[in-house]
Amino acid sequence: MAKLYFRYGAMNSGKSTALLQAAFNYEERGHRVLLAKPSIDTKGDRSILSRLGVTRDVDFTLEPDTNVLDRFQEHRTRVIEAFGRDVSALLLDEAQFLTSDQVDDLLRIALMDDIPVLAYGIRTDFRTVAFPGSRRLLEIAHSVEELKTICRCGRKAIFNGRLIDGRFVFDGDQVAIDGQDVTYESLCGVCYLQESGGVLNGRHHTAVG
């Protein structure tokens, strides 16, 4: 039985690099894979960009209202017709931007079509709040694996700090794609609290008693 895998980590933990390596490993052994990502991720347009400089186009993108099962079967049929063999895996980048229903469809692909699904993404936003796609993946994935990176202090980074024009911010829309004005820094819990002034999820700690 195939499984749904969720591999998550803070920013700069090598998620896209790991995805591209997994795709390479499949193909080196003669298998065919499909790569996809949510359309909201505009970095590289239709490409997956690794911070090591490796780039690869996805086979398809997903809008929030896209039926994942239909889109997958469409491209799966194309692979079978072109190469005479089925798809061996579906790999998704930036899976945190998927809807809960789309994540449910990933599980259906793994279980009903017996095709492994490898989803890569971050767990929480810059306010330490889970993305809907990540929350659902944590709930239903067969396998959950953390890809680790380090904070500037040397501790393990678990949070994603958002900077606008070089200054940390802790309110705003959940989604702001990394770009010229908006950047992100992976932080451990201690450094995150130091930068936020103790704020988590937009709220200050209130002492009791």
Side-chain angles (χ1 to χ4, degrees):
M1 180 188 70
K3 296 180 179 180
L4 170 60
Y5 300 84
F6 181 37
R7 296 172 177 168
Y8 74 91
M11 302 285 287
N12 303 322
S13 59
K15 297 178 297 298
S16 296
T17 301
L19 184 156
L20 294 174
Q21 181 66 55
F24 174 82
N25 290 344
Y26 270 104
E27 293 172 338
E28 186 180 36
R29 291 161 177 80
H31 295 276
R32 297 290 171 180
V33 298
L34 289 174
L35 275 62
K37 72 172 186 176
S39 60
I40 193 172
D41 176 39
T42 56
K43 297 192 306 295
D45 193 14
R46 291 181 57 88
S47 299
I48 294 174
L49 305 178
S50 163
R51 294 183 184 273
L52 295 182
V54 181
T55 302
R56 174 167 171 172
D57 288 344
V58 297
D59 295 284
F60 58 92
T61 59
L62 298 167
E63 301 284 348
D65 60 351
T66 298
N67 184 303
V68 176
L69 291 176
D70 289 346
R71 185 64 57 82
F72 170 72
Q73 293 299 343
E74 172 190 343
H75 287 269
R76 180 188 186 187
T77 299
R78 175 182 58 78
V79 169
I80 294 172
E81 291 175 348
F83 302 102
R85 63 180 305 170
D86 204 350
V87 171
S88 293
L90 171 62
L91 295 86
L92 295 106
D93 200 23
E94 306 293 353
Q96 71 272 7
F97 296 137
L98 297 174
T99 67
S100 294
D101 288 342
Q102 288 175 328
V103 172
D104 289 348
D105 280 345
L106 299 184
L107 182 65
R108 293 185 179 100
I109 290 170
L111 295 180
M112 305 305 292
D113 294 303
D114 198 26
I115 293 175
V117 179
L118 289 69
Y120 295 77
I122 60 177
R123 182 177 53 174
T124 58
D125 65 16
F126 71 108
R127 299 167 302 174
T128 72
V129 176
F131 286 94
S134 300
R135 181 183 298 114
R136 190 60 178 150
L137 280 161
L138 289 167
E139 292 169 342
I140 68 172
H142 295 91
S143 173
V144 176
E145 177 186 352
E146 183 181 15
L147 303 177
K148 298 177 177 62
T149 190
I150 60 171
C151 176
R152 60 194 181 195
C153 69
R155 300 184 183 94
K156 186 179 79 169
I158 58 173
F159 296 132
N160 306 292
R162 177 184 290 176
L163 300 95
I164 296 181
D165 295 327
R167 297 173 64 91
F168 282 100
V169 296
F170 297 93
D171 57 17
D173 294 336
Q174 185 173 52
V175 178
I177 303 301
D178 197 0
Q180 183 175 0
D181 298 323
V182 177
T183 57
Y184 293 89
E185 182 180 345
S186 305
L187 299 170
C188 71
V190 172
C191 289
Y192 183 93
L193 289 173
Q194 289 175 344
E195 292 291 350
S196 71
V199 172
L200 284 171
N201 191 14
R203 297 190 296 268
H204 286 275
H205 170 69
T206 302
V208 177

